[in-house]
Amino acid sequence: MKHVPIALLAFGVAIGGLSTAVGDPAPAHATAAPHARASLPAAKPTATVNPCAADNLSPTSRTVSPVSVYATSGTVGNASAVLSGQNTRLTGNGSAVTLDFGKEVGGIVTLRFADASDSSQSVGLAFSESNQFVGNASDASSGGGSADGAITTALPSGGGSYTMPKDKLRGGFRYLTLFLNSGGYADLDGVSLAFSAAPNAANPAAYPDYFCSNDAVLNQVWYAGAYTTQLDTIDPTEGRVWPPPSSGWENNGVVGTGTEVLTDGAKRDRSVWPGDMGVSTTTAYVSTDDMLGVRNSLTTMYQNQKTTGELPYGGPEFSFYGSDTYHTWTLVGTYMYYLYTSDKAWLDSIWSKYQLGMTFITAKIDSSNLLNVTNTNDWARGDQTGENIEANALLYQALTTGAKLATAEGNSSLAATYASKAASLKTAVNAKLWDVSVGAYKDNPGSTLYPQDGNSLAVWYGLTSASQATAIMAHLRGNWNSLGAQAPEFNNNLSPFAGSMELYAHFTAGDDVNALNLIRDEWGYMLASPIGTASTFWEGYSNNGTLTAYSSPFTSLAHGWSTGPTGALTTDVLGISPTAPSGGTYQVVPHPGDLTHVEGTLTVASGKQIHAVYNHGSAGDFSLQVDSSTNAGSTGVIAVPTWGQSRTVTVNGQTAWNGSTFLGASGITSADTDGQYVYFRGVSPGVYTVAYSASATAPPIAYRALPGAWTRCAAENGNCAVSGASVIAYGTGGRFNYLQTSTAKTCSNASFGDPAPNVAKWCYVRTTQPASPGWKQCATENQNCAFSDLMTVAYGANGAYKFATLGSGGTACDDAVFGDPAPNATKACFLLDPPPTFATWTSCAGENGNCTFSGTHEVAFGANGQYFFGSFSGGTPCTVAVFGDPVFGTAKACYVE
């Protein structure tokens, strides 16, 4: 079930008093000169209204009920009656009704029976996250190598209720199958679930923070990630037992300390895995602000540290050791928790253990100044050994953040040591692992694998230059298919864990539109897929969208490591994030991409919350309002994106930045620019509207939705799979080449030729053929096919066609135009709208050349899918001075419409 997009309401612009977390005690394109917006009144805070509240998936009550009947088998009378407290009768051995909760849930089920034929009747309960495994045996969670089976219970002849044993708690399922295990009948008139996740939340749906935009899919993804992480937050006495029981499952293992822990998955493993927390910690922080489970989980890792300093990679009851990467994730997670909470008392309590853990891992730095991995367990990726890029990127982050922790602990000497090791490691990584010919890092010095995880972490954590980051993003986009980003180190399957790393990397590199498209593809697929839960994100899946990347029924469909978009949508797209563990120091640096409206809040410290809302008008106007009025004593940075153009920026209606110089603004100490943003610094608590107007001649934002006739199947260099006879269009901006095929094709210039040089392209597939619905015959052979606007024309007969995208005025329908796809056959021409109904662009000049033409035309300047635009008469110099710089450090060109 896919969520129905909600209509956006009137957007609120400020914050009210909202609750904070509790904790366990103890241990783009103007060509005319910019001008200022007319004077605006000073901003005033108003009550926050969340227009996307309807997307919240969390229950408001601890009692949850099924919402529909998914299936029945055998003899079932009035199957849906039980949903309203009426009798549903199961008659005969094996008769079953499968109830659908409509989303992933978890907890203890109670059944109520009005009657049974006699005292010998027995009923079974079976659970499944995916409808692929619905039946009289549960999917797999125990780790015993087979399905978990079912719970069975005897029924009294006069009716009564049954509550499943606490040790049989089912932490993650959508479907509950109830079946008669005897030969009589049973009348079922009630089914409820005691919701067990997020045990310290009185109302699980009472999120202190939110995200909302003009894109309904992104909004739904944000809430699904938050809900996934909530389901993974459990009572530490309700974890998975290990070793597994001989049959069934047991969820009464003690897996951590305190009253809740953040685990990896709701169904399984229900244990602390620090790698997963590298993503899910931020998810929890930006949504529920529940840092208690994070603290308890990290504490659990340190409580189980070996005397050598080695930290476990799987907490109790697994108590697994032997992973250099997961060891390092605990060190990275330590800083994340401290940054988000400023919990100095906790940092003090584990500081000696942290140092021991750092000593353990840095002792593996070899003579090349690289970490040499010897403990090779990791997240299901291959090739984890030696001087590995993923492990070294993680260690670099641990060392750079470790220097900050050492400073917080008053140890400047140790801080300098960590910083020095980080610098040496960065130099070594770029000397030994960077492959300039590919534009990406090798997995190891002698490897030909260029992994998703290591390259993404290198960008995210700052190992790269700006040009390296741009190259890596382009390289990784080549691994995309229509379902998301494939991981070469995972047999080209999709890992939303590594995908989350890549997502953060795209935003770090300023590749914002592609980042948003990745969310729409990969996480949108998981939400929309009929085999999913419509509410939570999966452990991983194959590159054809099935659950075969891992053992299918064992795959977790509510896995915290897959929730990266929730964090990134707040910290990058909305742009709010803390900058230091100082109780409220923050920044607001939005990454709008192709969005026109974004708003939300983030609790940056106890009792301190930032609210931001921005609008990016179609003409290029930008207006950002930030309310930090609850942040007494804090300072912040507020930035507005300029896309390489000089802007006159106002603060609360008064000009504060004249395009190159800070003119002053109340409550702000300074301002500067890096060419892409204007940054206002030293911002005191208050309410600020920071805005600029585009020039009157600025064209609309150049991002347009795909039409329904064609389905995007792959990014450039990806693989476009087809089902049956199909047509694939390859290109962008109205320029396409076509292939008719029944087999998958690589989406590349080699396969199609290059219809749009120097521009990022995509493949689109359409399964309907000419002479079938969707195509309209416009001419027979040697006649004229007339049409207006840009159209796709097919020419041929008997299943053999050639294609062209042609402009207005029509075309001759003959071999001279198209070639002969069907010799000796009478052919015809057919019309279909082109894949995206964009304008056609023609290259007119390289950078610093002169683009000339007659009349007035739109001109695009840029490369690699990033362009600024302007309207000109008679031509224009093709320079940064005219357009601004849409993609720094890259050779650009001009294209005329």
Side-chain angles (χ1 to χ4, degrees), residues 415-436:
T417 297
Y418 287 165
S420 176
K421 288 181 182 295
S424 296
L425 185 145
K426 181 175 183 176
T427 299
V429 163
N430 284 293
K432 293 201 66 177
L433 298 178
W434 178 250
D435 188 338
V436 67

Side-chain angles (χ1 to χ4, degrees), residues 13-14 42-46 625-629 651-652 684-689:
V13 293
K44 297 180 180 179
T46 62
Q625 187 177 74
V626 177
D627 185 347
S628 61
S629 56
V651 175
N652 292 342
S684 300
V687 183
Y688 301 87
T689 297

Side-chain angles (χ1 to χ4, degrees), residues 62 106-108 169-171 194-199 233-235 238 270:
R62 285 282 167 187
I108 300 289
L169 178 146
R170 198 74 181 183
F195 188 75
S196 63
T233 302
I234 70 170
D235 182 323
E238 296 176 352
R270 297 182 65 80

Side-chain angles (χ1 to χ4, degrees), residues 590-790:
H591 289 251
D594 56 5
L595 299 175
T596 58
H597 178 90
V598 178
E599 65 170 280
T601 62
L602 179 65
T603 302
V604 294
S606 178
K608 298 180 179 182
Q609 197 171 49
I610 306 295
H611 178 82
V613 54
Y614 63 80
N615 293 286
H616 185 198
S618 61
D621 290 22
F622 195 88
S623 178
L624 166 66
Q625 187 177 74
V626 177
D627 185 347
S628 61
S629 56
T630 64
N631 288 36
S634 71
T635 59
V637 175
I638 299 175
V640 288
T642 60
W643 290 278
Q645 300 181 50
S646 175
R647 297 292 193 183
T648 297
V649 184
T650 62
V651 175
N652 292 342
Q654 302 300 313
T655 300
W657 178 263
N658 66 3
S660 61
T661 304
F662 179 53
L663 302 182
S666 177
I668 298 174
T669 61
S670 66
D672 55 81
T673 184
D674 62 1
Q676 290 295 296
Y677 286 86
V678 175
Y679 300 89
F680 294 93
R681 303 186 187 277
V683 180
S684 300
V687 183
Y688 301 87
T689 297
V690 185
Y692 59 77
S693 296
S695 72
T697 60
I701 297 171
Y703 309 115
R704 300 166 179 134
L706 300 175
W710 295 81
T711 300
R712 194 177 75 193
C713 59
E716 187 172 359
N717 298 317
N719 189 60
C720 179
V722 300
S723 177
S726 303
V727 178
I728 300 176
Y730 171 67
T732 190
R735 300 171 67 86
F736 295 90
N737 290 341
Y738 298 85
L739 284 178
Q740 184 177 351
T741 180
S742 296
T743 60
K745 293 292 181 183
T746 301
C747 184
S748 66
N749 295 339
S751 298
F752 291 83
D754 192 348
N758 305 315
V759 182
K761 293 167 279 290
W762 297 83
C763 277
Y764 305 83
V765 65
R766 186 176 172 89
T767 55
T768 54
Q769 294 294 295
S772 68
W775 294 82
K776 177 183 178 182
Q777 184 171 333
C778 61
T780 57
E781 187 172 4
N782 297 319
Q783 292 182 333
N784 188 64
C785 173
F787 51 85
S788 60
D789 299 323
L790 196 69

